[in-house]
Amino acid sequence: MCNFFTGKNMFSLLRQKYLLLCVVFAFFYVFFITEKFANASDLSEDPEEIPWHISALAVTFDNKRNLYIAEEDVVITGGKTRLEADYVEFSNKTKDAFAQGNVLLISGEDSISCNAMKINLNTKIGTINKGIIFIQKNNFYIHGENIRKTGKFTYNADRGSITSCAGDSPDWKITGKKVNVTVEGYGTARDAVFWVKKVPAVYTPFLIFPVKKKRQTGFLMPRISKSDRRGYEYEQPFFWAISENSDATFYSHYMSERGIKFGSEYRYIFDNKTKGSMAFDYLQDQKPDDGTTETDDYSFDTTPQRTNDDRFWFRMKNNQGLPNGFTAKIDIDVVSDADYLQEFKKGYTGFTNTDVYFEDEFGRGFDEYSDTIRKNSLNINKTWAAYAFNVDTLWYDNVNARQQDTENTTLQTLPSIQFDASRQQIGVSNFYYTIDSEYRSFYREDTTTTLVNGQRADFYPKIYLPLKLGKIFNFEPSAGVRETIWYTKDFTDINGNSENVRTRHIANVGASLSTKLNRIFDFESSYIDKLKHEIIPELTYGFTPEINQDDLPSFDSLDRVARNNTITWSLTNNFITKKSSVDTEGREKSDYRDIAYVKLSQSYDINKAREDDPEPFSDITLDT
């Protein structure tokens, strides 16, 4: 029994069950580790008990009409409602208001902007002249020459339009001579036109359309197409609104030449630190690659022969909040064969749509669809003001080696531990320091005479001394020492040595000379108040001696530190804007934004020049 479970046999069994382990672990991770948080209920206000306040440069009272007349910078507030205009007539008895000139009505999260309006501030029923209504919950904009608000959630407009896009040129909109809208219901339009940007795409004399943003269980829009590889296709998604913070979509993809591909996707958001999405597709393919000319159209020249008919793709990304300020991120990407992502690049569950979705939601996409080595990772991290701690487990799934059951020498990291200290002062001295440190354990399923498994520890502290030369220049010398230790078995270097433990010691020094020039430009703009332009010319020098590293293992680029004896000049341009505003409590605050960064640089290699190299200068680089 003990002789049977050797390292190679064990990992061969694990590789055969790799997908099952990933799926079981993913579901365990989601349903047994994450927590669900309840949303607090919102209490509505009673309109009859709301006190109303008027402020303006001029306020008078008309006894005959029992109206308050306010002019110039008029603001009327009550509860969650705020009315702004140049001129307002307001009845405190009926709560009817007539407003004219730069009118803005804010009610909760919704707003109305128009030339003029007549409205009851309690019921919010009235008429709007040449206005725009924005309903934030549903993210809808209603435009119209004459808009009537006939109920809490109902509107009708003459020569109106509706869209979910902001701006004068929305991506889409529906226009009509008579437009009726019921929020979270349906809308109708007479003589309706569907526009794409500024282009009229479809006309119909009468149109009924949904005005819903709330998630609802039901069938989504199908996708119909035809291709030589898959024949006639019909793809039908079904959406399941499970709860306020989770949902799922199920897909059936009929292909007349290949069979039916089934897919599912589950999404959840528990709080601002915890969210995730997992998806799985499966196809019993009717056209495996049997090597004959009849199946040439169902294979790819750039990949090995695909003999399997069980085809799948499992992918998942998760962000998880942990106790004591730690966070975790898990990424899984397992595909049955090298052809799959090329075959199913498009479609609802295709690679392109999936990659865009995960990139938008998590800031992390997938390896290119043509890559046959897919990255899977688990990261646990915590950051402080001056320190960062990371634990990473990286598994690169070699699809071709797994599919063909061949030798797999792909380098895995199981695990790595990193602790870094950002630049900070040493006590009360003038010196500063940084620290980069890590431990990595490297593993391969199959090793060779040169490709081995092992561990590596690296510790790299660096010290800086910033100085002022006069009032203009900044001069900063620096020095660092890198200590690296390897532990390997069965590794023999080019000299025939087979020690398990090996070490490397490298020191480096450097210096920089720079100054900073800036100018501030004033703007009279609604977007920015000031623009600051910084110019930083800099000259740096770095020196790392050349040492023999041929007797060391080679796992990644850190195992070989190149010599360095270079002078580099650079010119950096920074553009920073400032916008001042006043908050609800009357306090002024400023918003600074870096809007552009441009850096030109070039290096001169002293060692190359001494060796009469004809090109001691590097190419000029441009960073933006």
Side-chain angles (χ1 to χ4, degrees), residues 331-496:
D331 291 10
I332 297 178
D333 180 8
V334 183
V335 67
S336 60
D337 53 79
D339 289 359
Y340 187 92
L341 298 182
Q342 299 192 63
E343 181 80 69
F344 299 106
K345 185 180 177 183
K346 299 180 180 179
Y348 281 128
T349 61
F351 175 84
T352 300
N353 282 351
T354 300
D355 188 56
V356 169
Y357 167 74
F358 279 99
E359 184 68 43
D360 291 342
E361 290 296 320
F362 298 92
R364 311 189 301 275
F366 292 95
D367 295 320
E368 288 296 323
Y369 67 91
S370 57
D371 288 347
T372 58
I373 297 180
R374 318 294 299 176
K375 179 182 178 181
N376 297 265
S377 66
L378 170 64
N379 170 264
I380 299 174
N381 68 83
K382 182 175 182 179
T383 58
W384 295 266
Y387 303 97
F389 174 77
N390 281 272
V391 177
D392 284 292
T393 298
L394 301 176
W395 181 270
Y396 292 92
D397 181 31
N398 190 323
V399 180
N400 286 342
R402 172 167 52 81
Q403 182 184 0
Q404 299 179 306
D405 197 23
T406 57
E407 186 178 73
N408 186 1
T409 59
T410 307
L411 183 66
Q412 318 292 355
T413 302
L414 304 171
S416 73
I417 302 173
Q418 297 172 279
F419 181 79
D420 301 324
S422 60
R423 183 181 174 119
Q424 53 196 291
Q425 194 171 4
I426 302 176
V428 295
S429 69
N430 294 327
F431 289 91
Y432 289 76
Y433 77 95
T434 60
I435 295 177
D436 295 331
S437 62
E438 69 169 31
Y439 163 81
R440 287 183 182 267
S441 177
F442 297 102
Y443 169 77
R444 291 181 174 91
E445 288 190 42
D446 300 298
T447 58
T448 65
T449 55
T450 57
L451 299 177
V452 296
N453 297 329
Q455 294 83 43
R456 182 187 68 205
D458 183 72
F459 183 67
Y460 180 36
K462 196 170 183 178
I463 296 177
Y464 307 83
L465 179 61
L467 301 170
K468 272 285 188 182
L469 297 183
K471 296 182 179 181
I472 300 177
F473 293 101
N474 300 307
F475 178 68
E476 184 176 86
S478 60
V481 177
R482 169 160 256 145
E483 296 286 336
T484 311
I485 303 174
W486 290 264
Y487 176 81
T488 56
K489 290 184 178 179
D490 304 324
F491 173 68
T492 303
D493 60 34
I494 60 175
N495 299 319

Side-chain angles (χ1 to χ4, degrees), residues 177-434:
K177 289 184 178 179
K178 293 287 184 180
V179 177
N180 299 289
V181 175
T182 300
V183 178
E184 289 303 335
Y186 291 88
T188 63
R190 198 181 74 191
D191 291 329
V193 178
F194 179 80
W195 296 72
V196 178
K197 287 289 188 180
K198 295 183 178 181
V199 179
V202 179
Y203 166 80
T204 178
F206 186 78
L207 177 68
I208 300 177
F209 54 91
V211 187
K212 300 181 180 182
K213 277 289 185 176
K214 187 177 180 181
R215 300 175 308 145
Q216 296 182 342
T217 298
F219 288 99
L220 302 179
M221 186 70 69
R223 179 177 174 267
I224 303 173
S225 60
K226 182 182 182 299
S227 68
D228 293 336
R229 296 181 64 89
R230 300 192 289 268
Y232 292 97
E233 300 181 63
Y234 180 85
E235 193 171 2
Q236 178 63 66
F238 178 81
F239 178 78
W240 179 23
I242 302 173
S243 65
E244 290 185 357
N245 55 10
S246 65
D247 58 52
T249 307
F250 301 93
Y251 302 88
S252 59
H253 185 180
Y254 168 76
M255 296 168 282
S256 62
E257 295 293 326
R258 311 300 287 273
I260 302 177
K261 179 164 68 77
F262 296 98
S264 61
E265 183 178 9
Y266 173 69
R267 297 167 293 270
Y268 59 91
I269 298 178
F270 292 157
D271 56 36
N272 60 350
K273 290 185 178 180
T274 302
K275 65 178 181 178
S277 178
M278 63 175 69
F280 180 76
D281 301 331
Y282 176 80
L283 169 66
Q284 184 76 28
D285 201 333
Q286 298 175 0
K287 300 290 185 180
D289 181 9
D290 60 10
T292 65
T293 56
E294 294 181 359
T295 57
D296 281 348
D297 293 339
Y298 305 106
S299 61
F300 292 88
D301 295 335
T302 57
T303 58
Q305 180 182 353
R306 177 184 58 81
T307 59
N308 61 298
D309 54 10
D310 291 323
R311 309 184 70 187
F312 57 83
W313 184 25
F314 177 68
R315 61 273 194 200
M316 171 183 173
K317 291 190 186 295
N318 172 265
N319 294 347
Q320 175 67 50
L322 299 175
N324 300 318
F326 284 85
T327 58
K329 296 178 181 179
I330 184 170
D331 291 10
I332 297 178
D333 180 8
V334 183
V335 67
S336 60
D337 53 79
D339 289 359
Y340 187 92
L341 298 182
Q342 299 192 63
E343 181 80 69
F344 299 106
K345 185 180 177 183
K346 299 180 180 179
Y348 281 128
T349 61
F351 175 84
T352 300
N353 282 351
T354 300
D355 188 56
V356 169
Y357 167 74
F358 279 99
E359 184 68 43
D360 291 342
E361 290 296 320
F362 298 92
R364 311 189 301 275
F366 292 95
D367 295 320
E368 288 296 323
Y369 67 91
S370 57
D371 288 347
T372 58
I373 297 180
R374 318 294 299 176
K375 179 182 178 181
N376 297 265
S377 66
L378 170 64
N379 170 264
I380 299 174
N381 68 83
K382 182 175 182 179
T383 58
W384 295 266
Y387 303 97
F389 174 77
N390 281 272
V391 177
D392 284 292
T393 298
L394 301 176
W395 181 270
Y396 292 92
D397 181 31
N398 190 323
V399 180
N400 286 342
R402 172 167 52 81
Q403 182 184 0
Q404 299 179 306
D405 197 23
T406 57
E407 186 178 73
N408 186 1
T409 59
T410 307
L411 183 66
Q412 318 292 355
T413 302
L414 304 171
S416 73
I417 302 173
Q418 297 172 279
F419 181 79
D420 301 324
S422 60
R423 183 181 174 119
Q424 53 196 291
Q425 194 171 4
I426 302 176
V428 295
S429 69
N430 294 327
F431 289 91
Y432 289 76
Y433 77 95
T434 60

Side-chain angles (χ1 to χ4, degrees), residues 492-517:
T492 303
D493 60 34
I494 60 175
N495 299 319
N497 298 323
S498 57
E499 292 92 346
N500 291 341
V501 179
R502 299 165 190 263
T503 61
R504 179 186 64 191
H505 319 279
I506 298 180
N508 60 66
V509 295
S512 67
L513 179 67
S514 66
T515 188
K516 182 183 292 186
L517 308 172

Side-chain angles (χ1 to χ4, degrees), residues 75-106:
V75 177
I76 300 179
T77 57
K80 296 180 180 180
T81 302
R82 178 185 177 94
L83 174 62
E84 300 177 6
D86 296 334
Y87 176 87
V88 174
E89 295 179 0
F90 175 67
S91 170
N92 194 39
K93 182 178 181 180
T94 64
K95 305 303 184 288
D96 289 325
F98 169 74
Q100 187 173 352
N102 299 311
V103 181
L104 175 63
L105 176 67
I106 300 174

